[in-house]
Each structure stands twice: as C-alpha cells, then as structure tokens.
C-alpha cells in the first residue's frame, strides 16, 4: 500500500478474488503476530483487541499496549480498528492517538436502549464499573438461554448476551 492522503489505503492485489466473490473478513486479533498473519492472507482490516474487550476476547495485552503494536506491525498495509474498553468519545480519541484508524465497539452497543437484551442484563451492564475476566470457562453457572435452537448453559460473563427468553440470575 502506498502513502495516500488522510490514511486511505488501496487494497493489496491479493484481495482481488475476495472482491469478485463478495467475501469480506475482519478478524479480531490479540497480537501483532496474529495481525501480520491475517494481513499476509489478504485481510485489509484488523481489529486490534485488548484484554478489556468483553465479548469474543482474543486480547493478550491491554488495549493501550496492543493497539500500537498492531499498528506498528501492519498499519502501513491494513486499516487497524481498536477494541476493548472503548465506551465514550475520550476513549475513541485515545485509540486514534494510539494510531488506530477507528474503533470497534460491542458491549457499548449491547448497553444501548435499542439492544434486544434481557432488561436485567442491560441494567447491570450499564451500572457496571469493572472489567470482565479473560478466562471464564470455570465460572459459576448463572442460567440458561436458547442458542441456535438448543438450550445452552450460561456462565458468569458468558459471551452470549442474554435475550428476552433467557432465564438467569
């Protein structure tokens, strides 16, 4: 990619088949190595995810450390979006100062009034002040939900947001 104005970038030639087939990919990565592998495979946009990210978390470093590492590794060949702990304009500005081209928010959208989530989950999410643990597999069961037509166990800090049909603490 060449140095073009305002951070815009031309797609690398290896992505041409993806455009013909209308197939896009925006991987979430937790390290500079993972970002390099993705970009070497033709990906044009990577999500540099810090461990503060709440959902499908791949972050191995805090956002403030991981984003600059990913930008340094692939920022001249792909767009880099920052993810993890971004909840307001100040954090968006910080991500841009770290070199990100933009941000990727998830939990923030789940906290919106329009989100189709269980009312109690919404209330607790908006009231929360802390971080989500990176390792959640052994946490206590808090309820069940239906996912892809099957009853599924929910554990504390589960990555499936509770929907109106969820039964849980």
């Amino acid at each position: 990619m060449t140095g073009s104005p305002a951070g815009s970038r031309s797609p690398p030639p290896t992505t041409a088949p993806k455009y013909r087939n209308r197939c896009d990919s925006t991987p979430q990565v937790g390290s500079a190595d993972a970002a390099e592998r993705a970009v070497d495979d033709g990906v044009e946009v990577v999500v540099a995810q810090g461990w503060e990210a709440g959902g499908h978390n791949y972050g191995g470093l805090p956002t403030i450390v991981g984003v600059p590492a990913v930008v340094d590794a692939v920022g001249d060949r792909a767009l880099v979006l920052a993810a993890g702990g971004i909840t307001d304009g100040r954090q968006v500005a910080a991500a841009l100062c770290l070199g990100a081209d933009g941000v990727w928010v998830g939990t923030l959208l789940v906290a919106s009034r329009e989100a189709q989530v269980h009312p109690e989950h919404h209330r607790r999410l908006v009231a929360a002040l802390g971080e989500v643990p990176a390792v959640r597999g052994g946490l206590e069961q808090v309820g069940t939900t239906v996912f892809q037509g099957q009853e599924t166990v929910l554990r504390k800090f589960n990555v499936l947001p509770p929907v109106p049909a969820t039964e849980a603490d």
Side-chain angles (χ1 to χ4, degrees):
M1 298 186 184
T2 60
S4 49
S8 63
R9 296 177 174 92
S10 301
T14 57
T15 60
K18 287 195 321 186
Y19 287 104
R20 280 195 302 271
N21 295 322
R22 312 289 274 159
C23 179
D24 294 325
S25 175
T26 308
Q28 298 177 22
V29 298
S31 69
D33 290 342
E36 286 175 336
R37 287 192 303 274
V39 172
D40 288 346
D41 286 343
V43 169
E44 298 177 301
V45 180
V46 293
V47 179
Q49 189 182 65
W51 56 259
E52 298 92 340
H56 305 283
N57 193 314
Y58 303 100
L61 296 169
T63 303
I64 197 167
V65 177
V67 169
V70 171
V71 169
D72 290 349
V74 301
D76 60 337
R77 301 184 289 146
L79 294 173
V80 177
L81 304 179
I86 299 169
T87 61
D88 66 19
R90 295 170 296 177
Q91 290 148 338
V92 171
L96 297 176
C97 287
L98 294 173
D101 295 293
V103 299
W104 181 283
V105 296
T107 305
L108 180 62
L109 296 177
V110 177
S112 73
R113 279 189 228 79
E114 298 83 3
Q116 192 59 248
V117 298
H118 193 282
E120 182 62 12
H121 177 71
H122 184 267
R123 185 192 70 73
R124 289 185 187 195
L125 184 63
V126 170
L129 300 175
E131 303 291 346
V132 175
V135 178
R136 299 183 288 265
L139 296 177
E140 67 184 283
Q141 180 177 340
V142 295
T144 60
T145 193
V146 175
F147 180 68
Q148 295 183 340
Q150 297 201 349
E151 188 168 297
T152 303
V153 170
L154 290 175
R155 299 200 177 278
K156 192 171 185 179
F157 299 114
N158 196 285
V159 298
L160 295 174
V163 295
T166 299
E167 295 182 17
D169 176 4

